[in-house]
Amino acid sequence: MAEIDPPSRKQLCMRIDVGLAMLINGVAWMFTWATRRKRIYREREQSGQSEEEKQNQNDEEDYVLPALIQLYKRRGYFEEIINLLEAGLILEHAHMGIFTKLSILLSKYKPAKFMEHLKLFFARINIPKVIKATEKAHLWPELVFLYIKYNEFDNAALATIERSVDAWEHNQFEDVIVRAANVEIYYKALSFYLRVEQPTLSTDLLTVPIPRIDQADRSHPSYLLRARIANTCWE
């Protein structure tokens, strides 16, 4: 296979110039967009727009941001679009779409920064959309974190069990399993702890949710599992 010559200094400078120009234009667009949104908010308050009119304006704005992102991605300027969206986070009335799209981009291109971003801005993102991107990127600790913040404790517990090598942390899992609605998931958790040879830690699971388990059907086969683990812990 023939070797590809590295780009010349002139070519590199041209690429940098194009990237900077796109970034500057993007920043200008972002601030223009923010100004427009501010004006829209003010006009809504003054004119008493109908919900349909408000939704039409939101739909228009939700179209513009993905189009801008696609423009950058087609040219390979992933770093630049991430920097641009990060700069947009400080804008007044910053749209949820900025936080959400940035989350998705970080999950794809900068996973090391993803968890930090989620911890700071989880309340500003569209969590279901980011959950899909997180699953696709196979970022399991971040997936569990999002399930917890979305009050999807059953899914958080199941994701932890299924991806325990990356996502299991005892104190967090103990807090999650207490809030899980499905008793069957509790039994799965007990079986999981027995399987990963953590019988001493299983005592925490046996004590915290006892009232809910005692109200369950004691004839259920899984109830024997609980008794088995209890006996193992005290041997």
Side-chain angles (χ1 to χ4, degrees), residues 96 99-100 103 117-118 121-128 130 146:
M96 177 182 285
F99 294 90
T100 301
S103 299
H117 174 79
L118 293 179
F121 302 114
F122 67 86
R124 306 290 301 274
I125 66 175
N126 184 318
I127 292 182
V130 179
L146 288 169

Side-chain angles (χ1 to χ4, degrees), residues 38-227:
K38 188 174 182 179
R39 187 181 71 251
I40 290 172
Y41 278 115
R42 185 169 58 251
E43 290 174 352
R44 285 178 182 177
E45 293 176 355
Q46 295 174 352
S47 65
Q49 288 178 305
S50 68
E51 289 300 319
E52 182 177 356
E53 290 172 326
K54 294 177 182 179
Q55 186 59 49
N56 288 338
Q57 287 178 336
N58 283 331
D59 290 343
E60 178 186 353
E61 292 163 12
D62 291 340
Y63 169 79
V64 173
L65 182 58
L68 177 69
I69 292 173
Q70 283 302 116
L71 176 65
Y72 275 74
K73 289 173 65 176
R74 281 198 301 268
R75 288 163 172 77
Y77 294 116
F78 306 110
E79 184 82 22
E80 286 81 1
I81 188 58
I82 288 173
N83 292 339
L84 174 60
L85 294 183
E86 286 179 336
L89 300 182
I90 64 173
L91 298 175
E92 186 180 5
H93 299 306
H95 192 271
M96 177 182 285
I98 296 178
F99 294 90
T100 301
K101 293 297 184 181
L102 178 57
S103 299
I104 294 172
L105 288 171
L106 290 175
S107 73
K108 291 181 179 180
Y109 306 114
K110 286 194 172 183
K113 296 181 62 176
F114 187 39
M115 180 64 89
E116 179 186 1
H117 174 79
L118 293 179
K119 289 180 178 179
L120 289 173
F121 302 114
F122 67 86
R124 306 290 301 274
I125 66 175
N126 184 318
I127 292 182
K129 287 185 178 181
V130 179
I131 283 176
K132 291 181 180 179
T134 307
E135 286 180 312
K136 189 174 181 179
H138 297 174
L139 299 174
W140 310 123
E142 290 83 354
L143 178 63
V144 172
F145 176 85
L146 288 169
Y147 277 137
I148 292 172
K149 294 303 180 182
Y150 202 51
N151 295 328
E152 291 282 352
F153 299 108
D154 288 18
N155 286 332
L158 290 173
T160 301
I161 293 171
E162 292 169 2
R163 307 292 179 179
S164 60
V165 174
D166 299 305
W168 176 71
E169 195 279 315
H170 175 64
N171 292 331
Q172 175 179 272
F173 186 71
E174 181 184 358
D175 184 59
V176 167
I177 202 64
V178 172
R179 304 182 187 187
N182 190 340
V183 174
E184 289 297 325
I185 295 177
Y186 173 75
Y187 290 127
K188 286 184 179 181
L190 291 176
S191 179
F192 161 69
Y193 268 66
L194 189 64
R195 188 176 72 250
V196 298
E197 299 179 351
Q198 296 287 354
T200 55
L201 295 178
S202 299
T203 56
D204 295 336
L205 300 188
L206 290 169
T207 55
V208 176
I210 278 179
R212 179 149 50 100
I213 295 300
D214 287 345
Q215 295 170 9
D217 184 4
R218 290 172 181 263
S219 64
H220 194 287
S222 297
Y223 197 86
L224 298 176
L225 174 62
R226 180 170 173 261

Side-chain angles (χ1 to χ4, degrees), residues 11-24:
Q11 289 173 325
L12 286 174
C13 290
M14 289 179 63
R15 291 182 185 179
I16 292 173
D17 289 342
V18 172
L20 288 174
M22 291 187 67
L23 182 58
I24 292 170

